[in-house]
């Protein structure tokens, strides 16, 4: 009967590519290709933001984490992320909308100069290539396990290539419209799968199952251990989740082109702000749903360990339930949802990297800007180039013996603080110029590289002391602080500009009209 599941999966892959192309229409300009001429509904953009930041590992690891002791800690993290998005909506989105930008880094070019814009774009593209390449390979790991259950012995390289080929078809032809509409569909599918799993599990365990999971701490929301070492190293410690998480979200959603590009495709400033804030609310709901799946699976399995269940790790928990406890056909649909999470992340990365290459590289390093037709063709070519490079990078990891997942998790720590710090330097330090910003940016990346790679804190648990890295949420505020201090100090070594940039001007934003923009 597994043939029906395979049919469902293949049909899904074909339909999602077809629907993406039909909804996107024909792209007429580079601006249309990158931000849909700023005419996309806020709710589809909001769903796309959520799908973009949700990988396969998020879908399968949150239930496993809730099962094994994290409880609803991921929901606690999401609450901090909501606060950060509110700040981004109030402070940064008006800047982007006022300028009619298609790239977040065009603000840096306007505020400081094209050299910093190009440096920020190079940093983004390089970081995204590393992060998404690792993410793509990591996504292939559970997909291979699922295909093995279907009796298909498919290599990691084959999975990576097929996912990339299908995704690049609608991304290449349909641009941001195809990406956003397919993201919205894919989010609905994997979130709907979680709701279906909750319904099945609730029927199986009943009220007693909820009560048992609650008594076992599976619904614990806040981690109130305020020991300093724990706060600095645990992503679930309350200050880390709320304060560190808020600042981390300001960087990931306010200075990362991967997310900002989606917001720039909305019709007005107000709709951009709605998309940003509502995406945070949807992430809370999403994490709550997947955490509830994990808690109910704990009752369903009567608290057995992963080893007792015959599972290699916590990440096998949710896929195993999908394949062995749900009806044939429904299993295939939920596996398709997991594939959708991988494709959503990949398509978003490809389009945003192509966007940054064209909108930032061309303007920063070439004096003559090509015509719009040439820019559109270049945008599509760069989509293919980045797809090939990302697939090659991901395939290279498939033969590596290193911990590629942990490598992927630490990449953002190198650059997010410098990126967000550059934006805040432009807003807060009037006398800072391009030289100050470039110096601060480079110093921050160098210092954060040292911190991420070498700084450890001794954490004692049950009498055992372990050297533990600083929690990712604290890396961003540390980087921001370094950027602001270095930039401010550097700015004292030259006279203040006679006409400082008017970085507080936001009243010129037309909330009802779509800005003309620049591509």
């Amino acid at each position: 009967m597994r043939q029906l599941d395979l049919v469902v999966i293949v049909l899904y892959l074909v339909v999602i590519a077809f629907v993406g192309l039909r909804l996107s229409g024909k792209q007429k300009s580079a601006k249309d290709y990158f931000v849909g001429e700023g005419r996309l509904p806020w709710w589809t953009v909001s769903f796309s933001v959520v799908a973009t930041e949700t990988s396969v590992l998020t879908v399968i690891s949150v239930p496993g984490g809730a099962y094994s002791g994290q409880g609803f800690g991921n929901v606690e993290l999401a609450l901090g992320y909501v606060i950060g998005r509110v700040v981004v909506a109030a402070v940064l989105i008006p800047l982007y909308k006022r300028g009619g930008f298609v790239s977040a880094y065009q603000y840096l070019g306007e505020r400081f100069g094209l050299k910093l814009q190009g440096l920020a774009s190079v940093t983004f593209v390089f970081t995204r290539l590393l992060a998404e390449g690792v993410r793509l390979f990591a996504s292939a790991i559970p997909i291979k396990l699922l295909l093995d259950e279907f009796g298909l012995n498919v290599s990691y390289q084959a999975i990576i290539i097929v996912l990339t080929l299908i995704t690049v078809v609608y991304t290449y032809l349909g641009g941001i419209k195809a990406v956003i509409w397919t993201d919205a569909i894919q989010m609905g599918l994997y979130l709907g799968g979680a709701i279906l799993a909750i319904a099945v599990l609730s029927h199986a365990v009943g009220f007693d199952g909820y009560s048992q999971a609650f008594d076992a701490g599976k619904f614990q929301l806040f981690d109130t251990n305020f020991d300093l070492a724990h706060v600095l190293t645990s992503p679930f410690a309350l200050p880390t989740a709320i304060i560190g998480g808020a600042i981390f979200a300001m960087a990931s959603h306010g200075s990362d082109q991967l997310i900002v590009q989606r917001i720039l495709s909305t019709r007005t400033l107000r709709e951009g702000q709605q998309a940003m804030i509502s995406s945070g609310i949807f992430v809370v709901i999403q994490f709550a749903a997947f955490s509830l799946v994990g808690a109910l699976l704990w009752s369903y399995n009567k608290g057995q360990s992963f080893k007792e269940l015959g599972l290699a790790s916590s990440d096998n928990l949710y896929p195993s339930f999908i394949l062995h406890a749900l009806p044939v056909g429904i299993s295939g649909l939920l596996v398709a949802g997991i594939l959708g999470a991988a494709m959503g992340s990949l398509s978003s990365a490809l389009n945003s990297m192509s966007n940054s290459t064209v909108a930032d590289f061309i303007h920063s390093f070439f004096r003559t800007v090509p015509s719009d037709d040439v820019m559109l063709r270049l945008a599509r070519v760069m989509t293919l180039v980045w797809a090939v490079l990302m697939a090659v990078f991901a395939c290279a990891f498939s033969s590596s013996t290193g911990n590629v997942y942990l490598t992927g998790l630490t990449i953002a720590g190198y650059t997010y603080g410098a990126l967000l710090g550059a934006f805040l330097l432009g807003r807060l330090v009037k006398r800072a110029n391009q030289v100050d910003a470039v110096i601060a940016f480079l110093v921050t990346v160098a210092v954060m590289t040292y911190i991420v790679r070498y700084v450890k804190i001794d954490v004692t648990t049950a009498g055992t002391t372990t050297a533990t890295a600083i929690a990712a949420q604290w890396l961003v505020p540390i980087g921001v602080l370094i950027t602001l201090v270095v930039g401010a100090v550097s700015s004292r070594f030259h006279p203040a500009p006679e006409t400082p940039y008017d970085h507080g001007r936001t009243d010129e934003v037309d909330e009802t009209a779509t800005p003309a923009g620049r591509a």
Side-chain angles (χ1 to χ4, degrees), residues 195-207:
I195 294 172
L196 176 62
I198 291 170
V200 172
L201 287 166
S202 296
H203 181 266
V205 304
F207 178 79

Side-chain angles (χ1 to χ4, degrees), residues 94-96 98-101 103-118 360 364 426 434 500-503 505 508 518:
L95 292 179
Y96 304 145
R98 181 185 69 204
F101 301 144
S103 164
Y105 310 124
Q106 286 177 296
Y107 164 74
L108 295 179
E110 184 178 279
R111 170 61 178 90
F112 291 112
L114 295 179
K115 289 184 177 61
L116 183 64
Q117 178 182 345
D360 296 315
S364 298
Q434 180 165 243
Y501 179 80
D502 185 7
H503 58 270
R505 180 166 48 91
E508 295 181 8
R518 306 189 276 278

Side-chain angles (χ1 to χ4, degrees), residues 84-101 103-104 107 110 253-254 260 263-264 266 268-274 276-277 423 427 501-511 513 515 518:
R85 291 176 212 228
V86 171
V87 176
V88 170
V91 176
L92 292 178
I93 291 179
L95 292 179
Y96 304 145
K97 279 295 192 181
R98 181 185 69 204
F101 301 144
S103 164
Y107 164 74
E110 184 178 279
H253 288 66
V260 173
I263 301 302
L264 295 177
T266 55
T268 65
L269 167 63
R270 191 180 304 279
E271 289 201 3
Q273 292 170 323
Q274 286 177 320
M276 177 61 71
I277 296 172
F423 282 86
R427 295 281 287 168
Y501 179 80
D502 185 7
H503 58 270
R505 180 166 48 91
T506 60
D507 56 305
E508 295 181 8
V509 180
D510 184 349
E511 296 191 359
R518 306 189 276 278

